[in-house]
């Protein structure tokens, strides 16, 4: 998804300088001294649900990749626990009166983990790479006319139109990280990336793990841990067993049906927080009969979202027929699809669709998609649609999605912040992740206008209009907003569960 698409995993707000407005702050769960605080050092073993497809931050869209990269790379600014954009590589910034020129001052003395200095030249290279090569996050730079470095400590971004969410675009997640040119040009960035973050990659064993060690030249407070090893554990039951046995000290891959009981105990520590994520079903509009919005709407009426959510998340999610969760100031309360199999059958009949067979693509690395697909298949069977569930590993899933080789798929987008991130790349006709080939000129116009609208009320109204049309067209069939659920050993202290699902270990300590 994105942002981080769940690869993508996906991983972008109405902003004033240094401050996020327009989205309410997310809830962060600070577990500061919750365990045995104390001794620095040690290697934290973290079990994640799948393997990164690659470690090039500009080319991956997989959340498993960004779990690792969050600890390896930096951006000009970054979201704090309340999703406000705060200084990172840039210590301050100013905007011109017409809001078309942003000038960033870089932090002094920053180096990449190999000792090379990080200067404005690296920022310019990183952004121009994304733009010129039309990489995953090029859409975030749609209003950028130029990026220059007049001196090593200054970056100037010139815009074609006011861009209220520019800070989020430049720092919302590590997909816009500052990379080292030589590391990219050598090709090593795919498996041995060089960043300026608190840890550096020491080894990548395909099918097993990614090993990080402390970056002793890190510009910020030095990490307490000697390193972090991310192991790939697809089975949530195994991940929990490994956590209980001490083989790992942290995981976000817990069996959802056990979370409530785990939260009642204190070993392991299990915490949750509302997220900015959403999960959905997409239908391939380049294929008949899914090019017909009436067929897509019919499927929308056939779905019982409460039952799907209960089966997939065991109460750890909130049903939502639009993307943006209730905690956001941009939430739009709109739910036109009641569970109505009779109406669904009628609409399918009127569209001339009978005895339809469709494939639904899911991935074993996100088990909730497999569980939800089984429920969806049963519900669609009730309206005369036979669903063939196609379960792939995530790398295959991404490849099939990119080729358009699907009737439908289920997945989610993680770590979204600004409303632009919820809608533009997915539903604009030129959107980077519009793999389902949705086209609506009215939606394009609304999304284009909203991303340069500086009036908060007008911007919110534009996104509400766009959201309504997207839902009415059944571009995505939205299902729910899940909670972030993570667990860790009592030996871990200083860890914080974040609503944007960023995994940060730079302040974590591990007691011996």
């Amino acid at each position: 998804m994105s942002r981080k698409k769940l690869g993508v995993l996906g991983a972008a707000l109405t902003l004033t300088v240094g401050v996020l407005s327009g989205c309410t702050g997310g809830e962060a769960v600070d577990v500061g001294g919750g365990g045995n605080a104390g001794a620095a050092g040690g290697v934290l073993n973290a079990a994640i649900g799948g393997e990164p497809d690659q470690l090039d931050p500009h080319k991956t869209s997989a959340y498993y990749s960004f779990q690792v990269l969050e600890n390896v790379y930096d951006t000009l600014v970054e979201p704090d626990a309340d999703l406000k954009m705060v200084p990172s590589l840039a210590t301050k910034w100013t905007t011109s009166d017409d809001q078309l020129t942003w000038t960033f001052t870089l932090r002094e003395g920053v180096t990449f983990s190999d000792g090379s200095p990080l200067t404005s030249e690296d920022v310019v290279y990183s952004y121009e790479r994304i733009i010129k090569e039309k990489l995953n996050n090029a859409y975030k730079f749609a209003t950028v006319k130029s990026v220059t470095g007049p001196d090593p400590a200054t970056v100037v971004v010139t815009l074609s139109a006011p861009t209220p969410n520019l800070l989020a675009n430049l720092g919302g997640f590590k997909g816009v990280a500052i990379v080292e040119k030589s590391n990219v040009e050598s090709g090593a960035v795919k498996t041995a990336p060089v960043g300026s973050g608190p840890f550096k990659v020491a080894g990548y064993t395909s099918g097993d793990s990614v090993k990080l060690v402390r970056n002793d030249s890190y510009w910020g407070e030095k990490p307490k841990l000697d390193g972090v090893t991310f192991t790939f554990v697809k089975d949530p039951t195994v991940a929990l067993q490994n956590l209980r046995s001490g083989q790992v000290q942290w995981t976000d891959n817990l069996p959802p049906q056990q979370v409530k009981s785990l939260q009642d105990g204190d070993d392991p520590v299990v915490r949750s927080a509302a997220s900015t994520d959403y999960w959905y079903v997409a239908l391939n509009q380049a294929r008949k009969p899914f090019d017909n919005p009436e067929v897509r709407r019919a499927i929308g009426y056939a779905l019982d979202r409460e039952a799907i959510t209960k089966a997939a998340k065991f109460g750890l999610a909130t049903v939502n027929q639009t993307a943006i969760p209730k905690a956001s100031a941009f939430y739009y309360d709109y739910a036109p699809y009641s569970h109505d199999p009779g109406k669904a059958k009628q609409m399918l009949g009127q569209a001339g669709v009978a005895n339809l067979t469709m494939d639904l693509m899911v991935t074993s690395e996100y088990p909730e998609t497999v569980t939800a697909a089984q429920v969806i298949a049963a519900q669609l069977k009730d309206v005369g649609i036979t669903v063939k569930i196609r379960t792939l590993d995530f790398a295959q899933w991404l490849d099939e999605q990119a080729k358009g080789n699907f009737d439908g798929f289920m997945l989610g987008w993680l770590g979204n912040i600004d409303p632009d991130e919820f809608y533009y790349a997915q539903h604009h006709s030129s959107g980077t992740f519009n793999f389902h080939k949705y086209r609506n000129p009215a939606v394009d116009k609304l999304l284009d206008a909203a991303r340069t609208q500086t009036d908060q009320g007008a911007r919110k109204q534009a996104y509400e209009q766009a959201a309504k049309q997207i839902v009415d067209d059944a571009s995505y069939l939205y299902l729910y907003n899940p909670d972030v659920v993570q667990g860790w050993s009592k030996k871990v202290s200083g860890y914080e569960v974040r609503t944007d699902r960023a995994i940060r270990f730079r302040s974590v300590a591990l007691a011996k």
Side-chain angles (χ1 to χ4, degrees), residues 214-257:
R214 181 172 54 235
N215 176 13
D216 288 323
S217 62
Y218 179 53
W219 54 265
E221 182 179 351
K222 299 300 183 290
K224 300 177 179 66
L225 296 170
D226 293 325
V228 179
T229 298
F230 289 89
T231 59
F232 317 141
V233 184
K234 291 185 179 181
D235 189 331
T237 301
V238 174
L240 176 58
Q241 290 172 347
N242 291 350
L243 180 61
R244 282 175 162 160
S245 70
Q247 187 174 337
V248 303
Q249 293 80 45
W250 180 96
T251 188
D252 63 346
N253 190 21
L254 295 167
Q257 66 271 27

Side-chain angles (χ1 to χ4, degrees), residues 383-432:
V383 301
I385 299 175
T386 300
V387 175
K388 294 185 176 180
I389 300 171
R390 185 157 51 112
T391 305
L392 306 173
D393 66 44
F394 195 51
Q396 290 176 308
W397 190 101
L398 288 170
D399 186 55
E400 291 289 89
Q401 178 193 232
K403 292 176 180 177
N405 189 21
F406 60 88
D407 289 334
F409 65 77
M410 179 186 170
L411 207 62
W413 278 81
L414 309 183
N416 311 285
I417 300 176
D418 187 73
D420 184 76
E421 295 181 355
F422 286 86
Y423 296 124
Y424 195 94
Q426 302 88 340
H427 305 289
H428 193 282
S429 60
S430 64
T432 308

Side-chain angles (χ1 to χ4, degrees), residues 60-259:
T60 184
S61 62
Y63 177 60
Y64 298 132
S65 299
F66 287 115
Q67 288 183 286
V68 175
L69 298 175
E70 181 68 32
N71 300 278
V72 173
Y73 279 104
D74 289 316
T75 44
L76 282 191
V77 293
E78 67 176 9
D80 68 7
D82 294 320
L83 305 187
K84 293 185 175 74
M85 305 308 292
V86 297
S88 182
L89 290 177
T91 58
K92 61 182 179 179
W93 49 92
T94 59
T95 59
S96 60
D97 290 342
D98 62 6
Q99 299 183 56
L100 298 181
T101 304
W102 291 62
T103 303
F104 295 86
T105 300
L106 299 184
R107 193 177 298 276
E108 294 182 3
V110 176
T111 65
F112 287 104
S113 59
D114 64 358
S116 304
L118 189 156
T119 70
S120 61
E121 184 178 340
D122 299 294
V123 179
V124 172
Y125 169 75
S126 297
Y127 292 166
E128 288 190 341
R129 180 188 185 221
I130 295 171
I131 295 166
K132 292 179 178 179
E133 296 184 27
K134 297 181 180 179
L135 301 180
N136 286 339
N137 294 292
Y139 72 96
K140 294 179 181 293
F141 296 83
T143 60
V144 174
K145 289 177 63 177
S146 67
V147 183
T148 58
D151 62 65
T154 305
V155 174
V156 178
V157 179
T158 305
L159 307 175
S160 61
T163 306
N165 60 332
L166 181 68
L167 290 183
N169 287 345
L170 300 182
F173 82 120
K174 296 304 186 285
V176 289
I178 307 307
V179 299
E180 184 184 64
K181 183 177 181 180
S182 61
N183 184 237
V184 171
E185 292 183 338
S186 71
V189 68
K190 292 181 180 179
T191 56
V194 174
S196 60
F199 295 92
K200 57 184 179 180
V201 175
Y204 185 174
T205 304
S206 181
D208 181 66
S209 62
V210 177
K211 294 184 178 181
L212 308 184
V213 296
R214 181 172 54 235
N215 176 13
D216 288 323
S217 62
Y218 179 53
W219 54 265
E221 182 179 351
K222 299 300 183 290
K224 300 177 179 66
L225 296 170
D226 293 325
V228 179
T229 298
F230 289 89
T231 59
F232 317 141
V233 184
K234 291 185 179 181
D235 189 331
T237 301
V238 174
L240 176 58
Q241 290 172 347
N242 291 350
L243 180 61
R244 282 175 162 160
S245 70
Q247 187 174 337
V248 303
Q249 293 80 45
W250 180 96
T251 188
D252 63 346
N253 190 21
L254 295 167
Q257 66 271 27
Q258 295 189 47
V259 167

Side-chain angles (χ1 to χ4, degrees), residues 298-435:
I299 293 174
Y301 282 108
L303 298 180
D304 181 346
R305 289 165 176 78
E306 293 286 352
I308 295 167
T309 303
K310 182 178 180 180
K313 301 303 295 183
F314 292 86
L316 299 169
T318 302
V319 171
N320 188 6
Q321 292 192 30
T322 58
I324 299 177
K326 290 181 178 180
S328 171
F330 284 92
Y331 171 68
Y332 178 48
D333 188 5
Y334 185 57
Y337 299 105
S338 57
H339 179 223
D340 192 338
K343 185 171 185 175
K345 287 181 181 178
Q346 182 182 29
M347 293 176 70
L348 289 170
Q350 291 172 345
V353 174
N355 301 318
L356 175 63
T357 297
M358 61 171 282
D359 94 295
L360 183 62
M361 189 170 68
V362 297
T363 173
S364 56
E365 292 177 42
Y366 291 96
E368 68 193 88
T369 65
V370 179
T371 303
Q374 294 167 349
V375 179
I376 290 169
Q379 293 172 358
L380 294 187
K381 184 178 180 180
D382 290 341
V383 301
I385 299 175
T386 300
V387 175
K388 294 185 176 180
I389 300 171
R390 185 157 51 112
T391 305
L392 306 173
D393 66 44
F394 195 51
Q396 290 176 308
W397 190 101
L398 288 170
D399 186 55
E400 291 289 89
Q401 178 193 232
K403 292 176 180 177
N405 189 21
F406 60 88
D407 289 334
F409 65 77
M410 179 186 170
L411 207 62
W413 278 81
L414 309 183
N416 311 285
I417 300 176
D418 187 73
D420 184 76
E421 295 181 355
F422 286 86
Y423 296 124
Y424 195 94
Q426 302 88 340
H427 305 289
H428 193 282
S429 60
S430 64
T432 308
F433 295 102
N434 186 355
F435 294 110

